[in-house]
Amino acid sequence: MTLEIVIAGSPGRDMSSWCAAFAAAMPQARFHPWDDKGPYVGARYAIVWKPPAALFERETGLQAVFNLGAGIDALMDMPQLPPHVAVLRLEDAGMAVQMVEYVLYGLLRAARGFDHYAAQQRQELWAPLPAVDRAAWPVGVMGLGALGTRVAQAVAALGYPVAGWARSARELPGVEVYAGDAQLPGFLARSRVLVNMLPLTPQTEGILNRAHLERLRPGGYLINAARGGHLVEADLLALLDEGRMDGALLDVFHDEPLPPGHPFWGHPRVIVTPHVAAMTLQAEAVVQITDKILAMEGGGSPAVVARDRGY
Ligand code: NDP
């Protein structure tokens, strides 16, 4: 019996290159690009990125959904996704190294004074700052999963003091690990550069708020490369304007694209990037998802998202 697999992107997104890449990797399966008006194909698996809800209403034989990204918050928000359908997501798949680059870019801009030098250049000013004192730049990474762990280790390798915060405690060489809500205040209080690598769940929504951000060390700097829903944007703006925080590198926003005229666009101490911190890489994603499908077909059980915890 042929294995039928549906590929569905967000409305209007052309998924033909994905279909071709998966078909080449798994010739034994038949890949169907989602079509709003198409027939029921009896798919056992769906490979998706922000799919239409109708997918779950029509394809009632789905066993598992593979998300073409690391964050599954958009899927979790879909009431049509049946509870018995397993959800699998990309784990690293070439995104961790991109996240490392993104975070180091923000950290170095802040700690090495590169923003300062850019302003000096515009004034034709030659005025070196003192050498960086890494001890004055403790970094705190929220979320120690596939991406956060690699980020924390990369920052540690540069000699900055690093702590990480996760739900559960663990040993991570070179990284001071804080766990659970009870240890969040202590984690924030020792951090100056706060890096958000959490999934967006009901527990983490709005976690980058005034009460938490004002616990950071003086001169606090935020790097949010996870989800816009984590940040209370008005709280960050107020803390920047009050001088309680120094700056922010933001890749994700409450509304994307960031609306015209939003105060972040022109803010002198905010750097905006258009949700590009770590992009899904097609070749890596195809290999990882194909391996997981083959494992499931062979009776194996690759890691699935814990639907009750939301990540
Ligand atoms: P993982 O699921 O591997 O890791 C999540 C981490 O967050 C875990 O360490 C987990 O703790 C921790 N965590 C979850 N909930 C809580 C909580 N309530 N309190 C404390 N810690 C918590 O995710 P990834 O590393 O793969 O990805 C992280 C996020 O990055 C994605 O969900 C996505 O939103 C974002 N992302 C952004 C991209 C971009 O381009 N901007 C690209 C890719 C991802 P524990 O280990 O104890 O379970």
Side-chain angles (χ1 to χ4, degrees), residues 90-110:
L90 291 182
E91 294 159 294
D92 182 353
M95 284 184 281
V97 68
Q98 297 177 66
M99 222 30 124
V100 166
E101 290 172 335
Y102 188 85
V103 170
L104 292 185
Y105 168 72
L107 170 63
L108 297 179
R109 260 187 93 140

Side-chain angles (χ1 to χ4, degrees), residues 39-308:
Y40 169 77
V41 297
R44 195 142 80 232
Y45 301 111
I47 298 169
V48 305
W49 181 248
K50 298 184 178 168
L55 167 68
F56 302 113
E57 289 158 355
R58 189 200 297 164
E59 290 303 324
T60 48
L62 286 177
Q63 187 181 322
V65 179
F66 293 84
N67 190 48
L68 285 172
I72 42 86
D73 41 289
L75 265 181
M76 294 295 103
D77 281 348
M78 295 182 76
Q80 296 84 357
L81 178 67
H84 68 270
V85 174
V87 175
L88 294 90
R89 63 185 196 93
L90 291 182
E91 294 159 294
D92 182 353
M95 284 184 281
V97 68
Q98 297 177 66
M99 222 30 124
V100 166
E101 290 172 335
Y102 188 85
V103 170
L104 292 185
Y105 168 72
L107 170 63
L108 297 179
R109 260 187 93 140
R112 291 291 312 269
F114 290 128
D115 285 335
H116 191 79
Y117 292 125
Q120 284 191 4
Q121 182 179 349
R122 287 190 289 274
Q123 300 164 52
E124 299 190 12
L125 192 62
W126 181 282
L129 293 169
V132 62
D133 172 12
R134 287 178 175 70
W137 292 92
V139 178
V141 181
M142 304 176 90
L144 291 174
L147 305 181
T149 299
R150 285 279 297 281
V151 165
Q153 288 171 329
V155 173
L158 291 189
Y160 290 84
V162 190
W165 179 68
R167 277 211 327 179
S168 47
R170 79 218 46 203
E171 291 287 320
L172 198 57
V175 180
E176 196 186 341
V177 177
Y178 291 71
D181 291 344
Q183 294 188 1
L184 179 57
F187 163 82
L188 294 167
R190 53 74 60 206
S191 300
R192 177 167 178 189
V193 177
L194 185 65
V195 178
N196 180 29
M197 289 278 78
L198 289 168
L200 184 62
T201 68
Q203 288 71 42
T204 64
E205 187 171 1
I207 195 165
L208 301 174
N209 55 34
R210 173 181 273 275
H212 287 150
L213 293 174
E214 66 187 0
R215 286 183 185 274
L216 295 175
R217 298 256 290 248
Y221 193 91
L222 174 67
I223 300 176
N224 187 18
R227 284 291 181 266
H230 288 125
L231 175 64
V232 181
E233 295 181 349
D235 286 3
L236 173 64
L237 283 165
L239 290 165
L240 289 169
D241 293 346
E242 291 162 21
R244 300 188 66 146
M245 286 184 66
D246 261 11
L249 169 60
L250 306 176
D251 187 53
V252 288
F253 303 90
H254 191 272
D255 295 316
E256 295 181 8
L258 187 64
H262 190 288
F264 285 153
W265 280 121
H267 199 291
R269 282 179 290 130
V270 174
I271 306 164
V272 169
T273 54
H275 202 142
V276 292
M279 295 188 182
T280 295
L281 302 179
Q282 189 172 79
E284 282 84 343
V286 168
V287 168
Q288 187 174 110
I289 292 173
T290 302
D291 284 352
K292 289 180 178 180
I293 292 175
L294 293 177
M296 289 176 98
E297 287 296 295
S301 35
V304 300
V305 167
R307 297 276 295 268
D308 54 339

